Amino acid sequence: MVASRVLITGGAGFIGSHLADLFIERDCDVVVMDNLLTGDIRNIEHLIGNPRFTFIRHDVTQFIHVPGKIDSILHFASPASPIDYQEFPIQTLKVGSLGTHKALGLAKACGAKFLLASTSEVYGDPLVHPQPESYWGNVNPIGVRGVYDEAKRFAEAMTLAYHRSHGIDTRIVRIFNTYGPRMRLNDGRALPNFICQALREEPLTVFGDGSQTRSFCHVSDLIDGIYRLLESDVTDPVNLGNPDEIPIIGFANEVISATSSTSKIEHFPLPEDDPQVRQPDISRAMRLLNWKPKVSLRDGLALTIPYFEKALRSAEGESVISQ
Ligand code: UDP
């Protein structure tokens, strides 16, 4: 057992809430801290009342105090979709910098292990393909995505500084595009947009000509990899993602087919600084963690679509009630 009491910042978010479930299943005590800026209490509703579970509504950029011992801190707090971090640019910079500093300070005070949720965005619009951890990236620091990319790059630097200067036991996971239940319907990412559009029989909004690529990982594979990383002794960053690369236009067609939709595709301008390619090199994760994804895109979509069908029905019900 890796830890008996864990703190998950951003634990009401998409990935954080799946981590909370995993640690509860493994008989750990779980403390979720979230200010609900982009997280959603509904993601952890089923855990409230469980004696092993505590929710603290708090902004991690402010001093963090958690009573009792903490064995591991998983720092997942941050807006994470391009739409969100462009809507909340200053909060994104603050949570990656001040929030990471506060969470590391707590790890130092408690003698806890610390795992940072970093991102493939540290590679920016990459000039090396696929991206190994040794690649330093191609980030536009003053572009619209810079607030997220640079905050995470700073967070990685801060994490390693705490490791080197204070001997904190740290891990860094660079998360590539991940999908699954509990993504917000309107978070603006390709997968929620395409599935909702397909289910509503509306046109799928492909940005640019759709030749830009991404590699989509099902959340269950990611969570398994994060757990293995936490249990390992690997301090340098590790990529986690599915290396199965697909052009966005091909991805849109996969969604149309998986939902049996009659939707067509419409093209819109490519957003500023949108990376042209993205594919993780997962050799390190395979070698050091004995990890590789198991869920294919087709199976992962089949596991995810029912969640969106249900969420859309309840969102549509709510909008009828509020009229
Ligand atoms: N995208 C798209 N239509 C949408 C949303 C996104 O074509 O409705 C494109 C976006 O321009 C990018 C890719 O899909 O090239 C993945 O975007 P997403 O926002 O999911 O995440 P990113 O990988 O860019 O962080």
Side-chain angles (χ1 to χ4, degrees), residues 121-140:
E121 285 282 329
V122 298
Y123 303 121
D125 190 2
L127 304 176
V128 170
H129 191 65
Q131 294 78 55
E133 291 86 346
S134 53
Y135 177 48
W136 291 355
N138 177 39
V139 170
N140 173 3

Side-chain angles (χ1 to χ4, degrees), residues 80-83 85 119-121 145 148 176-178 183 187-194 197 204-216 248-249 251-252 266-271 273-276 278:
S81 91
I83 293 265
Y85 50 73
T119 168
S120 55
E121 285 282 329
R145 298 173 86 109
Y148 184 62
F176 283 65
N177 294 68
T178 300
M183 292 184 96
D187 91 354
R189 280 185 271 210
L191 183 130
N193 278 6
F194 290 170
Q197 290 158 350
L204 270 62
T205 54
V206 168
F207 300 160
D209 64 4
S211 62
Q212 71 274 28
T213 68
R214 293 294 186 272
S215 311
F216 294 94
I248 287 301
I249 187 94
F251 180 59
E266 264 182 35
H267 291 270
F268 290 83
L270 196 63
D273 291 336
D274 198 285
Q276 265 309 301
R278 185 179 290 153

Side-chain angles (χ1 to χ4, degrees), residues 132-279:
E133 291 86 346
S134 53
Y135 177 48
W136 291 355
N138 177 39
V139 170
N140 173 3
I142 55 164
V144 286
R145 298 173 86 109
V147 294
Y148 184 62
D149 303 8
E150 295 296 5
K152 290 292 187 182
R153 289 167 69 97
F154 175 93
E156 288 197 6
M158 183 65 107
T159 300
L160 276 167
Y162 265 66
H163 172 70
R164 292 183 186 123
S165 300
H166 297 307
I168 308 292
D169 194 12
T170 56
R171 310 279 179 273
I172 297 174
V173 52
R174 290 186 180 153
I175 300 172
F176 283 65
N177 294 68
T178 300
Y179 67 97
R182 301 188 191 155
M183 292 184 96
R184 279 200 346 264
L185 296 180
N186 60 349
D187 91 354
R189 280 185 271 210
L191 183 130
N193 278 6
F194 290 170
I195 294 186
C196 292
Q197 290 158 350
L199 290 174
R200 290 175 168 142
E201 306 285 350
E202 292 167 0
L204 270 62
T205 54
V206 168
F207 300 160
D209 64 4
S211 62
Q212 71 274 28
T213 68
R214 293 294 186 272
S215 311
F216 294 94
C217 184
H218 187 259
V219 66
S220 60
D221 281 328
L222 180 80
I223 295 298
D224 174 42
I226 291 171
Y227 189 79
R228 285 169 189 250
L229 176 61
L230 188 67
E231 273 190 304
S232 77
D233 57 3
V234 182
T235 300
D236 285 342
V238 178
N239 289 339
L240 291 181
N242 191 317
D244 195 4
E245 183 186 19
I246 185 170
I248 287 301
I249 187 94
F251 180 59
N253 282 316
E254 283 285 339
V255 171
I256 290 175
S257 137
T259 49
S260 309
S261 171
T262 58
S263 291
K264 300 277 176 276
I265 286 174
E266 264 182 35
H267 291 270
F268 290 83
L270 196 63
E272 202 180 314
D273 291 336
D274 198 285
Q276 265 309 301
V277 288
R278 185 179 290 153
Q279 181 190 30

Side-chain angles (χ1 to χ4, degrees), residues 3 94 185 227 302 322-323:
K94 283 175 72 178
L185 296 180
Y227 189 79
S322 64
Q323 274 167 19

